[in-house]
Amino acid sequence: MKRSGMTSITAQVRRSVFSIAFLLAVPAVIGLVVMMLYSSRTQAMIRRMDAIAGMKPALESTIAENLFSVAAGRSTFEDSGVQGLITETDNTLDMLLAETEGSGQMQLTIARRTMDTLEQYVLRVRDGMEAGTPISTIEKIVDEVRDVGRLVSDMLDAFTTDEIANASVASGRLRIIVVVAAVTEVLLLLIAFLRTRYETNKLTESIHSSIYSLEGTVRRIAEGNFGDRVQGMNVEELRDLGEKVNQMADRLETLIAQIRQNQDHLARAELRTLQAQINPHFLYNTLDAIVWQAESGKGEEVVHLTRNLSDFFRISLSAGADWIPVSQELKHVSAYLSIQKTRYRDILDYEVDQPEGLEEIYMLKLLLQPLVENALYHGIKNKRGGGMIRVKVQIQNRIMTFTVADTGKGMSPEQLEEVETLLKENVPTAQPAPEPGHSGFGMRNVDMRIRLYYGKKTGLLISSGPEGTEVSFSIPIRTREEIDHDESLSRG
């Protein structure tokens, strides 16, 4: 639920996209409707002119020539087809009258009445032939028919001229509308750009303020001020992250109190403190990446990074539990690699096995991430062209074997011997590594925690060469019921 006064990155991105889409769509839709309207009118004009072109031969010559054939006795009036031509012309004119408005309608009305006169002349030819009227008289009537036909044709030519003029006017109007629509589109695009820039600057300022507050609190906690807490989170997506940091600080205070009160459990308490400590380097770099993505306007990437960082700390915290489902441990290392992929996208690829049915199988938390961190900073990062990190899990005979393999630089025999010697030390360290992925520190604590909690003589198995490094460990499957009641357990 969004709190009052908070800014949501997702909501802001949606509003910006909707505003731009709406401002750009409105003139486009209006312009499309207008163009369709003018296109329809233009098609109607072309249709009318085609109809007129089809009538002109009959009016100018065909009717008169067929009547001459009748007068000369070469055909009968019925066989001449004159009446059909007149009927067809009348029907076409009626259709044009129904579609036409304005001055063109008056021209067509006169042409239609003139056709009635032409038809009367034609009927006089028919009646004259039946009555035996002299041929010379009939030829004069046919000449009248020709003249009237040409008169109708001239009227239709005038109508066509007007239609062409109207089409030209419509074309000019359409050009103006297109120009106006284009200018309006540009103006609206400018308005949308300015509005988006304003909203982005406002959002960036809120993100900056929240992240600086979070970064300052984390720095003070890292310096030992465990009573400090994150406040003033103005971005909804960062609120959960701030709460997780506060919870982590609470957990740190609780752990420190337990260390002071329980000296006989010093080794376990020191290891818990180490696993719960905030890594300032990793968090600073991730917060810087969020700031950079926010300033670049990549809202979805900011949400993605923030959620991964929130998942990373949530699983690290696990409500104080030492044991979590294997699926959560794999999700934790996936969140870490996804965050690092943002920083090292050009050199880092990764794969994390996600077998089904691991939700009810529990393991000691935070065993994989230190190994992956070591693989990244001492394998992939130091190799030209980068490489691949693979996290695999295999189950056989109620034993889970986890393997973290990288195709990085690998270790020399001397370096491998140094790391194996470091793993044999039995004194845990409560001090954070001097830098992210400091060689051996993370692996030593993982090795000791595996031996301490699982009662094993051997923790990590390491092999390394020019093709990369592989670190593996095997632990027994433990269900919720098999974990001792005095050991803290996460319910996933």
Side-chain angles (χ1 to χ4, degrees):
M1 181 177 179
K2 183 177 178 180
R3 295 180 180 177
S4 177
M6 277 201 166
T7 301
S8 170
I9 298 173
T10 303
Q12 181 60 50
V13 170
R14 288 176 179 171
R15 284 197 300 269
S16 297
V17 171
F18 177 79
S19 298
I20 293 173
F22 178 77
L23 290 175
L24 295 181
V26 169
V29 171
I30 293 175
L32 181 62
V33 171
V34 171
M35 284 190 287
M36 290 179 63
L37 179 61
Y38 274 92
S39 175
S40 175
R41 290 182 178 180
T42 302
Q43 291 295 327
M45 291 179 185
I46 294 172
R47 201 166 51 247
R48 289 193 292 269
M49 286 188 283
D50 284 342
I52 290 171
M55 291 189 294
K56 286 177 66 65
L59 293 170
E60 292 178 352
S61 60
T62 304
I63 293 176
E65 289 174 357
N66 289 356
L67 287 177
F68 271 120
S69 296
V70 172
R74 291 193 294 271
S75 66
T76 64
F77 181 83
E78 288 75 12
D79 295 336
S80 67
V82 171
Q83 190 63 50
L85 291 173
I86 293 174
T87 301
E88 182 179 351
T89 301
D90 288 343
N91 291 337
T92 302
L93 286 173
D94 290 338
M95 182 218 29
L96 294 176
L97 274 169
E99 294 182 358
T100 306
E101 297 177 353
S103 60
Q105 189 177 49
M106 182 176 294
Q107 292 172 331
L108 291 175
T109 300
I110 296 172
R112 180 66 180 84
R113 292 174 180 174
T114 306
M115 280 300 300
D116 292 339
T117 301
L118 185 144
E119 187 174 5
Q120 292 177 4
Y121 281 116
V122 169
L123 293 177
R124 286 177 58 189
V125 171
R126 183 195 65 185
D127 295 341
M129 291 298 297
E130 292 177 354
T133 304
I135 296 300
S136 58
T137 302
I138 292 177
E139 287 178 349
K140 290 181 181 180
I141 299 173
V142 172
D143 288 335
E144 293 291 338
V145 170
R146 187 191 303 276
D147 293 338
V148 173
R150 288 174 177 172
L151 178 61
V152 174
S153 178
D154 291 341
M155 293 177 182
L156 295 178
D157 286 340
F159 173 78
T160 301
T161 301
D162 287 346
E163 287 284 275
I164 294 173
N166 291 336
S168 177
V169 171
S171 177
R173 290 176 179 172
L174 183 59
R175 281 195 298 271
I176 293 173
I177 291 172
V178 170
V179 171
V180 171
V183 172
T184 303
E185 193 86 8
V186 171
L187 291 176
L188 290 176
L189 184 60
L190 179 61
I191 293 173
F193 171 77
L194 293 176
R195 174 181 172 81
T196 302
R197 184 173 180 179
Y198 169 76
E199 295 291 345
T200 301
N201 289 340
K202 183 178 178 182
L203 178 62
T204 302
E205 184 179 350
S206 297
I207 294 174
H208 269 286
S209 174
S210 297
I211 289 180
Y212 289 155
S213 173
L214 179 62
E215 187 176 5
T217 301
V218 170
R219 184 184 298 109
R220 290 187 289 274
I221 292 175
E223 292 171 352
N225 184 7
F226 300 109
D228 203 352
R229 295 294 181 270
V230 177
Q231 297 178 352
M233 301 299 289
N234 298 321
V235 180
E236 185 178 2
E237 285 80 1
L238 295 176
R239 181 189 64 199
D240 291 340
L241 179 58
E243 291 177 352
K244 295 298 183 296
V245 172
N246 288 339
Q247 291 175 14
M248 184 169 292
D250 293 338
R251 179 62 175 160
L252 283 171
E253 285 193 308
T254 301
L255 288 175
I256 291 174
Q258 288 177 352
I259 291 172
R260 293 171 178 170
Q261 295 172 5
N262 303 292
Q263 292 297 324
D264 56 325
H265 296 107
L266 178 61
R268 289 196 181 192
E270 286 179 339
L271 288 172
R272 287 183 181 180
T273 302
L274 178 64
Q275 74 185 37
Q277 280 181 343
I278 301 171
N279 186 331
H281 302 279
F282 171 68
L283 187 54
Y284 294 168
N285 291 332
T286 304
L287 293 176
D288 287 341
I290 293 174
V291 171
W292 177 75
Q293 297 288 2
E295 291 176 342
S296 301
K298 299 179 180 180
E300 293 183 1
E301 189 65 20
V302 170
V303 174
H304 177 71
L305 274 173
T306 303
R307 286 176 178 170
N308 278 325
L309 189 59
S310 180
D311 287 341
F312 178 81
F313 282 120
R314 177 178 57 80
I315 297 174
S316 295
L317 191 65
S318 300
D322 295 316
W323 300 85
I324 63 174
V326 176
S327 59
Q328 288 292 299
E329 179 73 2
L330 294 174
K331 183 177 181 180
H332 179 258
V333 77
S334 295
Y336 174 80
L337 284 169
S338 179
I339 292 170
Q340 295 289 33
K341 176 69 174 176
T342 302
R343 293 185 58 210
Y344 302 108
R345 63 176 69 247
D346 296 328
I347 64 172
L348 173 63
D349 290 309
Y350 69 91
E351 294 178 356
V352 178
D353 275 356
Q354 297 284 353
E356 296 181 356
L358 300 181
E359 292 77 14
E360 299 301 321
I361 300 176
Y362 283 73
M363 65 181 291
L364 188 63
K365 71 177 180 181
L366 303 184
L367 296 181
L368 292 175
Q369 185 272 334
L371 305 181
V372 170
E373 185 180 61
N374 194 77
L376 171 61
Y377 283 97
H378 295 279
I380 303 302
K381 191 176 178 182
N382 292 331
K383 179 183 178 183
R384 183 183 297 273
M388 168 75 74
I389 295 177
R390 291 184 174 88
V391 180
K392 297 180 289 186
V393 56
Q394 294 178 326
I395 301 177
Q396 187 174 9
N397 298 327
R398 292 188 60 79
I399 296 295
M400 294 185 295
T401 299
F402 294 88
T403 304
V404 176
D406 67 76
T407 60
K409 183 179 179 181
M411 292 185 283
S412 65
E414 293 76 16
Q415 290 173 323
L416 181 58
E417 182 179 357
E418 179 183 350
V419 172
E420 289 177 341
T421 300
L422 183 64
L423 295 183
K424 293 178 182 178
E425 295 182 9
N426 292 321
V427 179
T429 176
Q431 300 298 322
E435 62 182 17
H438 185 76
S439 180
F441 280 82
M443 289 196 295
R444 180 173 66 172
N445 279 285
V446 170
D447 180 81
M448 290 198 66
R449 292 174 66 225
I450 291 173
R451 288 188 283 154
L452 176 64
Y453 280 86
Y454 287 96
K456 294 171 61 68
K457 293 182 179 180
T458 303
L460 298 180
L461 299 176
I462 306 173
S463 62
S464 185
E467 300 300 321
T469 301
E470 183 176 287
V471 181
S472 63
F473 62 89
S474 297
I475 55 177
I477 290 178
R478 301 187 70 176
T479 62
R480 180 181 301 176
E481 293 74 19
E482 294 172 340
I483 298 175
D484 293 341
H485 64 84
D486 60 339
E487 295 185 82
S488 56
L489 177 145
S490 170
R491 300 186 178 275

